[in-house]
Amino acid sequence: MRILITGGAGNIGRELVRRALEAGNEVTVFDIPQANYEGLEGKEGITIFKGFVTDPEAVGRAVKGVDSVIHLAALMTHLATDREKTMAVNVGGTQTVLDALKKEGRDVQFVFSSSVSTYGWTVNDTPPIRIDHPQVGMDLYAESKIEAEKVVLSSGVPYVILRISGVVIPVFYDPNPWQFLKDQRVEFVHRDDVATALYNAAVTREARNKIFNIAGGKAWQMLGHEWAKRHMEVIDIPFEEAVYSEHPGWFDWYDTEESQAILQYQNNTPEMFFEQLAKAVEDFYNQE
């Protein structure tokens, strides 16, 4: 099958490309012209389209002949500062892709990358947070994801909506200040597991027309200071230097029973992540 990945030149997008090719699929990568396409261009099985998700003509060319779409393209939190631009890309861009698919007339499964930020601050709620929890746009990014979900649900296109928790990548960086309260419930999810969930959502018929929480699972459910302590021990920063947010972050413990049963993506444990992180720290210092 041919899978279109919008935002496919990014970190998760590249992991998706690798998985899709290994499984014998062909991949269309669609991303902005200024994205880094190193390692993607000229590779067998990959077709690249450079453009913007707000451009119907560019998107129309990219969707030709595809069997599934994984829609990652969006302005992320740190870039979602201008209302008009954020809504145009995150909501309007989603609509553009869906319109192009309807014009194609193929039976295409559309996977939408959403966020647990759409639940708002949930620190006073009883965990685990389920998909029927009310959605509250506490900032522009979350608001745009809520509106984009509405566009997906009303499109008539077969969909899978993934509300993804905080994604961790085993690379060395100073995480201070932490974006959660000291005693806040947190449940991260490994980057590779997110890629697995997205890929399986694109190729699994049983996932069609469902909404899932995507998070690490019970082994990843901790309090903020517990996560910070383990992380800072690995990167050799004194735990006493931990600085926490003054406001709740988009973190909690989530109900992932159905998503795991259907998508089978929770393959990395916290122990595996911290081992990978330790290796990344070692490699970083060896480069100096």
Side-chain angles (χ1 to χ4, degrees):
M1 65 187 300
R2 174 168 288 279
I3 300 173
L4 166 62
I5 305 171
T6 71
N11 197 301
I12 292 177
R14 286 173 175 271
E15 179 64 19
L16 276 168
V17 170
R18 184 188 68 78
R19 287 167 183 264
L21 292 177
E22 284 186 353
N25 302 286
E26 295 182 321
V27 179
T28 296
V29 171
F30 183 90
D31 216 319
I32 58 177
Q34 59 267 43
N36 176 17
Y37 293 91
E38 183 179 355
L40 298 173
E41 290 183 305
K43 189 169 183 178
E44 185 176 356
I46 299 177
T47 302
I48 292 177
F49 287 94
K50 300 179 182 181
F52 299 94
V53 288
T54 52
D55 180 351
E57 290 188 9
V59 171
R61 291 191 293 270
V63 302
K64 294 291 184 183
V66 303
D67 302 294
S68 291
V69 175
I70 302 174
H71 184 49
L72 305 178
L75 291 179
M76 302 307 292
T77 311
H78 63 290
L79 297 175
T81 55
D82 179 88
R83 170 168 290 277
E84 183 176 355
K85 184 176 182 180
T86 299
M87 290 299 181
V89 174
N90 293 8
V91 183
T94 302
Q95 184 70 68
T96 300
V97 178
L98 290 164
D99 288 344
L101 290 175
K102 287 191 285 187
K103 188 176 292 186
E104 268 290 281
R106 295 169 59 86
D107 181 26
V108 176
Q109 192 145 307
F110 180 84
V111 180
F112 180 65
S113 176
S114 189
S115 167
V116 296
S117 68
T118 63
Y119 297 129
W121 294 340
T122 58
V123 291
N124 294 321
D125 298 333
T126 301
I129 303 303
R130 306 181 188 279
I131 62 168
D132 59 357
H133 187 283
Q135 292 182 294
V136 183
M138 300 297 293
D139 65 10
L140 182 54
Y141 174 76
E143 186 179 339
S144 72
K145 285 295 185 180
I146 291 171
E147 293 304 311
E149 283 194 19
K150 293 177 182 177
V151 166
V152 173
L153 292 170
S154 65
S155 68
V157 174
Y159 65 85
V160 187
I161 294 174
L162 304 187
R163 294 177 183 159
I164 302 171
S165 185
V167 180
V168 291
I169 303 172
V171 296
F172 177 54
Y173 71 100
D174 183 352
N176 267 335
W178 295 98
Q179 300 303 304
F180 45 73
L181 302 175
K182 181 178 180 180
D183 294 315
Q184 184 172 351
R185 296 181 297 267
V186 298
E187 181 182 351
F188 291 98
V189 59
H190 196 291
R191 184 271 316 273
D192 294 354
D193 290 349
V194 173
T196 299
L198 287 161
Y199 174 75
N200 288 346
V203 300
T204 304
R205 188 82 177 191
E206 189 182 354
R208 180 169 285 198
N209 296 333
K210 289 183 177 291
I211 300 173
F212 298 116
N213 285 330
I214 301 298
K218 291 188 181 301
W220 289 78
Q221 293 177 353
M222 307 179 194
L223 297 181
H225 66 87
E226 295 173 329
W227 176 265
K229 187 175 190 297
R230 295 184 67 176
H231 194 121
M232 295 176 78
E233 284 176 348
V234 173
I235 62 177
D236 199 26
I237 295 179
F239 178 56
E240 294 74 20
E241 296 181 12
V243 178
Y244 301 95
S245 174
E246 296 179 359
H247 305 285
W250 301 328
F251 301 98
D252 211 313
W253 298 346
Y254 300 96
D255 175 16
T256 60
E257 184 176 352
E258 185 179 31
S259 66
Q260 171 62 8
I262 294 176
L263 302 179
Q264 295 291 306
Y265 65 95
Q266 293 172 343
N267 302 314
N268 285 272
T269 65
E271 289 71 28
M272 293 166 66
F273 168 74
F274 287 120
E275 287 178 6
Q276 295 161 5
L277 180 61
K279 179 64 166 56
V281 173
E282 180 183 354
D283 291 345
F284 174 83
Y285 285 115
N286 287 339
Q287 290 174 0
E288 295 188 341

